[in-house]
Amino acid sequence: MLRQLGAALSSELDGSGYDGNEQQQHQSESINPMFSAQQDDIDLTEINPLDLFCSSIDSLCGKSIDLTIPHNSGWAERPSWRQNSHLPNNGDNREESRVLCRRGIPPSLRCAAWIINVVSAANLIMSKSDCDDYGTLKKVRVLEHGWDLVLKSIFPDPSDLERAEVLDFGVGHDQLINILMKDHGGNIPERGIQSLTKVLHAARDSLGIEYCLWLPDITCLLLSFMPESYAYSTIREMINEDSSYFLAVSRVEHLAWCKTFADLMRRCFPQTAAIMGQIGALTPLGLDPIMKRLFVTLLKREHVMRVMDIFTGEGAHAIFRIGTTLCCLSHAHLGESIRERCDNAATFWEGVRRFAHSKHFDFEIFLSQVYMTKKILGFRRPVFPRPEVVSRIISENEVWAENNLTNISVHEEKKPLGLVEGDVPLKLAKDSFERLCLARWLPPALQSTKLDLIYSTSHHGRSLEMFYRCCSSSRHTITLMEVLGTDIVIGMYATHTWKSNPDGYGDGGCFLFRLTPNAECFRFKPTFSSFGAEEGDDEKKVTRLQDVGQLMISSESFISMGVGEGGASGLRLNEDLTRGSTSKSMGFDNDELVGPGIEVFDVGLVEVYRFIRDVDNKPVDGDVDPWKGVFE
């Protein structure tokens, strides 16, 4: 299928003249002897063990890694000896290494190969043997010692680490929750969150990085194959002298990179660019799946790792190259479906994700399209602009980004949620400022919706049976309640349909809030500290991350959100919705929602709202899959 789509891709490239056989021949030519397995002339008894590559280790999720190296893969357990290994890693050597990395690095060697790639790219005058040493056992003690010094300076006391939270570097709370709970193989365990926290704090406090949207995902990917010390050292090398080779470390750079991506789309794939431009997929916000999340939400995880194999050697240029080609091929596959079914960037990227996960997507053929060439004056030239050309475009766009910094947001400007006026009078969500607060707290997919009242105690009566019945067809809901005799309104956002389930349900997207006065949102914040257990009582320890899945607990006699000490809840209502209680809960770490020292209160009006799409006035939870049948 991808071979057929390649023809569509070529049609956007004026006279590409692409020869697939020639590309295959190019990839099968000699590879960099630094990684070559051709070491038959070496006496293995004379090998210094310190010259062996260090093996990969999963510090994020603790999963096992295949330590085998495929025969004839071109990879070895140690760098091969070369007479000119003392010479700088010149362009020819780097290109040979890059071609090999495009084929895929064995998982067991990713720790060594990734750090060697980055060191080599960041230190062009460093000799090949010195670059190779970073991936061998020679450097283990040096890197571990340096890491220990960094940790002691940042976390001088164990309590400092216990209080530390995972930094988002501008990616946003909702995306950070997805990173921790979904996008890197599910819930990251406690130890992995601790490792992630350490490395991200070191990147900020030791390396001085304040803003870098790719950094949380890159750190997770590095820790999937590296110990903490190697992940930190790799990030340190990425920002050595010229950080822009790998990372955008300011808002200006990020905006310039987004505009550069859009410019390259228009230059290389004008037909796809026209479609993407119409639906807002080429704006800084519209490019989030690539320019904010580095393909993590688009590609299969094994393909994201393959992208990292390439990125560590070729830098951000590879991301522009892979990203633009992926958009073009997705457009070629989706065809007229885009015009018929897609009217916004989110739907477009969902189509790209579905294509990249379908049987029609072959990653090897895709890469051959990414690195296709065309004949110009008798010579084969890459279709995609050279790195120096892309760098020049970025530099020009940085001037534009500086001038438009206050006019363009990398986060969507919020407006108040709309309201659906129905037969049942609504009260608690009437004020526009309060609906603006709710919009700011909700996930992006719900921020441009309207609130539709589905349950009100003034109309439906006070019973959990009616509450459950009215909420039965709505997955995402906002529950508002007034504290009787006051002007206080508090509530909770649910990510699952309310039902009688005392075992617990819900996920980390749930949150508690106080709407009036002094609006404040209490989001779920997974950390690795324990709560409510005596020292040494391991069986009773409940980590905040493990609390996911028990955020909503309900039965025929109560509904609640958040788990506290001694069976208490973050917010709880009784069976006739007349009495409520609130206390500090694990994960949400909320203050008393009603007021200091007030845990039990009388409940006045209770209202529950669902979300209606503004574009077609249909319930969000009733969405029809726009891509159904396209990928069969």
Side-chain angles (χ1 to χ4, degrees):
M1 181 66 184
L2 268 179
R3 293 189 189 278
Q4 297 172 354
L5 295 179
L9 182 150
S10 297
S11 69
E12 293 204 41
L13 305 165
D14 295 334
S16 66
Y18 171 65
D19 183 349
N21 293 331
E22 182 169 325
Q23 176 74 7
Q24 284 295 107
Q25 181 180 357
H26 174 67
Q27 288 192 347
S28 62
E29 290 174 356
S30 61
I31 56 179
N32 187 350
M34 180 183 75
F35 300 102
S36 176
Q38 298 174 359
Q39 301 183 49
D40 296 337
D41 58 337
I42 302 297
D43 185 353
L44 298 180
T45 62
E46 298 179 0
I47 293 178
N48 185 343
L50 296 180
D51 290 328
L52 296 174
F53 282 132
C54 53
S55 296
S56 300
I57 181 174
D58 185 352
S59 302
L60 189 72
C61 296
K63 297 179 180 178
S64 60
I65 294 176
D66 183 4
L67 297 181
T68 61
I69 301 176
H71 184 61
N72 295 328
S73 65
W75 297 92
E77 296 179 351
R78 70 189 188 90
S80 63
W81 299 105
R82 297 186 53 156
Q83 293 181 350
N84 62 342
S85 62
H86 63 285
L87 297 177
N89 53 96
N90 58 54
D92 291 340
N93 291 331
R94 291 199 303 275
E95 182 58 28
E96 291 171 354
S97 301
R98 290 169 179 171
V99 171
L100 183 59
C101 290
R102 290 169 198 164
R103 297 180 182 178
I105 301 172
S108 62
L109 293 181
R110 277 192 169 129
C111 177
W114 284 359
I115 193 169
I116 290 174
N117 282 347
V118 172
V119 170
S120 177
N123 302 273
L124 299 182
I125 63 173
M126 183 181 290
S127 70
K128 286 182 55 57
S129 60
D130 287 343
C131 290
D132 294 350
D133 283 348
Y134 275 82
T136 66
L137 298 178
K138 286 181 180 179
K139 284 286 187 179
V140 172
R141 280 189 156 182
V142 175
L143 298 183
E144 288 290 348
H145 177 68
W147 176 237
D148 287 341
L149 294 178
V150 169
L151 288 180
K152 289 178 181 178
S153 67
I154 298 174
F155 306 110
D157 186 84
S159 62
D160 296 322
L161 181 57
E162 292 175 3
R163 290 192 296 267
E165 295 183 351
V166 182
L167 303 175
D168 70 6
F169 287 91
V171 76
H173 177 271
D174 293 328
Q175 295 292 352
L176 184 61
I177 290 295
N178 288 336
I179 289 171
L180 297 177
M181 298 184 181
K182 181 178 68 174
D183 296 337
H184 289 277
N187 285 347
I188 299 176
E190 175 184 336
R191 183 173 297 179
I193 288 183
Q194 186 174 22
S195 295
L196 180 62
T197 302
K198 290 179 185 177
V199 175
L200 291 178
H201 275 264
R204 184 191 67 180
D205 300 338
S206 180
L207 302 179
I209 304 175
E210 295 286 346
Y211 181 96
C212 182
L213 300 183
W214 283 353
L215 194 57
D217 278 311
I218 284 179
T219 304
C220 285
L221 295 172
L222 293 176
L223 287 172
S224 296
F225 293 93
M226 292 179 165
E228 297 167 9
S229 57
Y230 276 71
Y232 168 76
S233 299
T234 302
I235 295 170
R236 182 190 63 203
E237 293 298 324
M238 283 184 176
I239 64 168
N240 181 24
E241 295 186 6
D242 182 16
S243 63
S244 62
Y245 185 85
F246 286 104
L247 304 171
V249 292
S250 71
R251 190 162 169 265
V252 169
E253 286 187 354
H254 173 71
L255 289 176
W257 284 28
C258 290
K259 188 174 188 302
T260 299
F261 189 98
D263 291 344
L264 291 169
M265 282 298 307
R266 296 184 183 100
R267 173 174 177 166
C268 299
F269 310 112
Q271 297 171 24
T272 302
I275 296 294
M276 294 178 66
Q278 292 173 5
I279 59 177
L282 288 181
T283 65
L285 283 171
L287 288 170
D288 275 358
I290 295 176
M291 305 311 295
K292 179 182 283 188
R293 296 301 314 278
L294 200 65
F295 300 105
V296 169
T297 59
L298 294 179
L299 301 177
K300 293 181 179 179
R301 185 160 178 80
E302 61 264 32
H303 295 158
V304 174
M305 297 305 179
R306 292 287 300 278
V307 171
M308 275 293 289
D309 292 344
I310 300 170
F311 169 73
T312 53
E314 301 180 31
H317 180 262
I319 304 304
F320 290 113
R321 193 169 192 165
I322 293 170
T324 53
T325 308
L326 179 63
C327 291
C328 181
L329 291 180
S330 300
H331 172 218
H333 179 81
L334 299 175
E336 288 302 314
S337 298
I338 291 183
R339 298 182 185 275
E340 298 171 358
R341 312 172 188 229
C342 182
D343 60 356
N344 59 77
T347 305
F348 170 78
W349 290 117
E350 173 61 16
V352 174
R353 187 195 69 82
R354 297 276 288 275
F355 167 61
H357 284 71
S358 73
K359 62 183 179 181
H360 306 295
F361 185 79
D362 184 296
F363 193 78
E364 303 304 331
I365 300 176
F366 167 66
L367 281 186
S368 72
Q369 301 291 342
V370 171
Y371 291 95
M372 68 176 359
T373 60
K374 62 181 178 179
K375 187 173 291 186
I376 303 177
L377 299 177
F379 296 94
R380 305 296 306 183
R381 304 287 187 186
V383 168
F384 196 78
R386 299 185 305 277
E388 55 269 26
V389 175
V390 175
S391 295
R392 186 175 68 247
I393 298 174
I394 291 175
S395 297
E396 295 169 354
N397 285 335
E398 284 181 354
V399 177
W400 169 88
E402 286 277 7
N403 294 333
N404 291 274
L405 189 60
T406 58
N407 301 327
I408 299 177
S409 176
V410 296
H411 298 290
E412 188 173 359
E413 296 295 333
K414 305 298 186 299
K415 63 179 182 179
L417 296 172
L419 277 179
V420 176
E421 298 285 353
D423 296 333
V424 181
L426 50 87
K427 175 184 176 183
L428 301 182
K430 196 79 172 178
D431 188 86
S432 63
F433 175 75
E434 292 157 12
R435 284 184 279 113
L436 176 61
C437 293
L438 292 174
R440 289 171 175 167
W441 301 335
L442 288 168
L446 300 178
Q447 289 170 358
S448 297
T449 58
K450 296 184 288 188
L451 293 176
D452 182 27
L453 184 64
I454 58 175
Y455 172 79
S456 172
T457 51
S458 66
H459 180 80
H460 299 96
R462 293 182 180 270
S463 74
L464 277 182
E465 180 183 0
M466 182 59 70
F467 176 91
Y468 289 139
R469 184 182 304 172
C470 292
C471 296
S472 61
S473 60
S474 300
R475 178 180 174 89
H476 303 87
T477 56
I478 284 281
T479 300
L480 303 178
M481 64 195 75
E482 64 177 355
V483 178
L484 194 63
T486 73
D487 62 350
I488 299 173
V489 176
I490 59 178
M492 46 192 169
Y493 165 67
T495 59
H496 287 67
T497 303
W498 284 106
K499 57 189 176 182
S500 180
N501 184 352
D503 293 330
Y505 51 110
D507 60 36
C510 297
F511 59 78
L512 301 171
F513 58 87
R514 181 192 310 110
L515 197 57
T516 62
N518 305 320
E520 187 172 2
C521 177
F522 301 96
R523 299 182 182 277
F524 183 79
K525 298 178 180 179
T527 63
F528 43 83
S529 58
S530 59
F531 189 97
E534 298 295 331
E535 183 177 358
D537 191 3
D538 293 333
E539 292 185 359
K540 294 183 179 180
K541 287 185 178 180
V542 180
T543 67
R544 293 183 175 183
L545 182 59
Q546 291 170 340
D547 187 38
V548 177
Q550 292 186 326
L551 298 181
M552 300 166 62
I553 298 179
S554 51
S555 69
E556 296 179 358
S557 59
F558 72 91
I559 61 169
S560 67
M561 182 174 290
V563 180
E565 287 186 297
S569 305
L571 182 57
R572 176 178 175 135
L573 287 174
N574 68 351
E575 67 274 9
D576 58 3
L577 309 182
T578 59
R579 297 275 287 177
S581 63
T582 177
S583 64
K584 188 172 183 177
S585 61
M586 293 183 289
F588 293 112
D589 198 24
N590 55 288
D591 299 331
E592 292 91 341
L593 295 177
V594 178
I598 302 176
E599 294 188 356
V600 180
F601 57 93
D602 292 324
V603 179
L605 180 65
V606 178
E607 295 179 340
V608 181
Y609 294 85
R610 65 176 177 174
F611 299 93
I612 303 295
R613 287 201 309 257
D614 196 34
V615 65
D616 58 6
N617 290 318
K618 293 182 179 180
V620 168
D621 295 319
D623 282 352
V624 177
D625 182 3
W627 302 115
K628 184 177 181 180
V630 175
F631 302 93
E632 295 177 355

